[in-house]
Amino acid sequence: MNLTLRKPTMPLQRRHFIALSTLAASAGSFRGALAASAPSEDSLKGWRQYEITTKVQVSEKTPRARVWIPVPVKHLENYQHTLDLSFNAPGAKKVELVAQPGSDVRMVMVEWADASAAQTVEITSRIATRDIAADLGGSGHERRLPAAALRPYLQPTSLAPLHGIVKETADRIQADAGHPRDAVGKARAIYEWIVANATRNPAVAGCGTGDVSYTLTSGNLSGKCADLNGLFTALARAVGVPARDVYGVRVEDSARGFKSLGKSGDITKAQHCRAQFHAEGLGWVPVDPADVAKVMLEEQPGGLPKDAPKVRAAKALLFGAWEGNWMAYNTAADVRLPGSERVEGFLMYPQGETANGRLDSLDPANFSYTIASRKLA
């Protein structure tokens, strides 16, 4: 079945989500394909292309089951395009590709109402990515975004308040750095502070909770990417620098020589959150202090000191640049799951529930789901 996007007839601000496509049952099977408005193949010369396949099977069979699966963002400035998206859910009651208004989050929602049905769904995405690096020493030529477009990236979220210890920490970092005036200087001070003071905690489940207040008050400035890059975003917003987390998954091994900063083939547990800040003339600037901490901990057995050459190389690279071996899902916070009362702080993992309650998104073996990546070009 070919699907086309239709302009919603209801004002977006009145709805928690909109259906980009809804499939009707046909012989007990759902099949859909949605081609994104994407650049031509000629314009993608030099870009990497990947096919990402996500398979979900609800192993706990009950009369009612529902899953929400993030799919790649349509477009992330200068870094990623989604070229094609298809999905198949035999035996489902309903399948929708939905979007949350006011954000770039998209997900496939599937519902089943028959415990004897095959409660499975398969989603295939084709994307293009490329390495990006901001010219931090140049004057910049990116178009200045209007204040209204940047305002959402200066707001608090449920996981990242901008008052109290967050604001106090952000102000102290800026004071110690000599009160830099521009966005790059402010962001760099925060990045340097996180790299110098935070550590990666391998005991943290998944990518962490992203709870910034807890990270700062726990007495142990550690966590994983959602915690440390989420901390960067909150501290930047607290001093007036627009910033955002970008949630996604690694799709290929690193070509830059970092064994710990890539994953190919089976990427079921390769989710990773990155971050960006916005600077006049430069646009959205990529950063990733959490991956510097990952290099310190995981690049070689026993870890590496902060002054090791590979750590210094990662630190220099990851303020202003990303390698194109990672796929972005979205930049959204406080994501409402349509048809449910649940609101997730971020959407980076498949989510699900049955008649018996919520499924553990961090336990893919028992949920169960797999994600696989294949390089196309």
Side-chain angles (χ1 to χ4, degrees):
M1 179 184 296
N2 293 323
L3 303 175
T4 57
L5 297 181
R6 294 182 178 179
K7 184 177 179 181
T9 57
M10 192 174 190
L12 298 187
Q13 64 269 25
R14 295 184 183 178
R15 305 179 66 179
H16 295 308
F17 66 95
I18 57 173
L20 301 178
S21 65
T22 303
L23 296 180
S26 175
S29 178
F30 284 98
R31 293 183 183 273
L34 187 67
S37 54
S40 66
E41 291 293 333
D42 286 343
S43 68
L44 290 175
K45 288 181 179 178
W47 291 60
R48 311 177 187 187
Q49 293 191 32
Y50 300 94
E51 181 182 86
I52 313 299
T53 303
T54 302
K55 299 179 180 179
V56 176
Q57 176 177 338
V58 182
S59 54
E60 182 183 64
K61 290 296 191 68
T62 66
R64 179 180 61 80
R66 184 183 293 142
V67 296
W68 301 265
I69 306 165
V71 297
V73 66
K74 289 178 65 177
H75 171 70
L76 189 67
E77 298 88 343
N78 300 317
Y79 178 79
Q80 177 177 316
H81 294 287
T82 295
L83 307 177
D84 190 62
L85 178 67
S86 63
F87 40 93
N88 180 28
K93 175 185 176 183
K94 181 170 71 171
V95 182
E96 286 186 325
L97 176 66
V98 298
Q100 179 172 275
S103 79
D104 57 10
V105 70
R106 302 192 303 166
M107 68 189 90
V108 171
M109 181 183 72
V110 188
E111 295 182 5
W112 293 272
D114 182 356
S116 65
Q119 296 183 354
T120 63
V121 58
E122 180 172 319
I123 302 171
T124 302
S125 307
R126 186 164 62 90
I127 64 161
T129 67
R130 65 177 178 180
D131 295 355
I132 55 169
D135 182 10
L136 299 176
S139 58
H141 60 274
E142 290 288 330
R143 179 178 60 86
R144 178 184 176 90
L145 291 178
L150 293 173
R151 192 170 299 121
Y153 307 109
L154 290 166
Q155 303 303 312
T157 70
S158 64
L159 293 174
L162 303 183
H163 61 274
I165 192 170
V166 178
K167 177 62 174 170
E168 293 164 8
T169 303
D171 287 345
R172 185 171 67 252
I173 292 169
Q174 299 304 310
D176 291 345
H179 295 289
R181 293 179 176 272
D182 65 322
V184 173
K186 292 177 181 180
R188 186 183 292 278
I190 295 166
Y191 177 88
E192 296 276 353
W193 182 84
I194 293 175
V195 169
N197 293 283
T199 58
R200 180 176 173 84
N201 183 355
V204 168
C207 288
T209 65
D211 186 334
V212 172
S213 293
Y214 175 79
T215 300
L216 290 174
T217 58
S218 65
N220 180 17
L221 194 64
S222 67
K224 287 189 179 174
C225 56
D227 305 307
L228 303 185
N229 287 340
L231 177 60
F232 173 89
T233 294
L235 293 173
R237 291 185 181 190
V239 293
V241 177
R244 63 190 186 185
D245 299 307
V246 194
Y247 301 98
V249 63
R250 304 184 199 271
V251 296
E252 189 185 4
D253 298 334
S254 172
R256 299 293 187 95
F258 295 102
K259 293 182 291 184
S260 60
L261 302 188
K263 190 73 171 71
S264 59
D266 182 0
I267 59 170
T268 304
K269 296 184 178 181
Q271 289 82 3
H272 179 57
C273 166
R274 286 174 160 177
Q276 295 175 308
F277 70 92
H278 195 274
E280 185 173 353
L282 298 176
W284 288 106
V285 178
V287 297
D288 198 338
D291 261 359
V292 182
K294 187 175 175 72
V295 169
M296 290 184 208
L297 180 67
E298 298 181 7
E299 193 63 20
Q300 71 177 38
L304 291 169
K306 287 182 174 14
D307 61 352
K310 269 208 166 179
V311 176
R312 293 201 307 268
K315 179 183 174 183
L317 171 69
L318 293 170
F319 185 84
W322 287 344
E323 186 176 354
N325 63 334
W326 167 90
M327 177 180 79
Y329 284 129
N330 60 75
T331 65
D334 299 326
V335 179
R336 181 178 296 275
L337 300 182
S340 172
E341 295 300 315
R342 287 168 54 185
V343 178
E344 301 294 327
F346 54 85
L347 186 64
M348 186 163 48
Y349 296 86
Q351 302 291 330
E353 61 187 25
T354 70
N356 295 328
R358 182 173 181 168
L359 299 171
D360 186 353
S361 63
L362 302 183
D363 185 12
N366 293 308
F367 186 145
S368 62
Y369 62 85
T370 61
I371 310 173
S373 172
R374 182 169 68 95
K375 189 172 184 181
L376 302 175

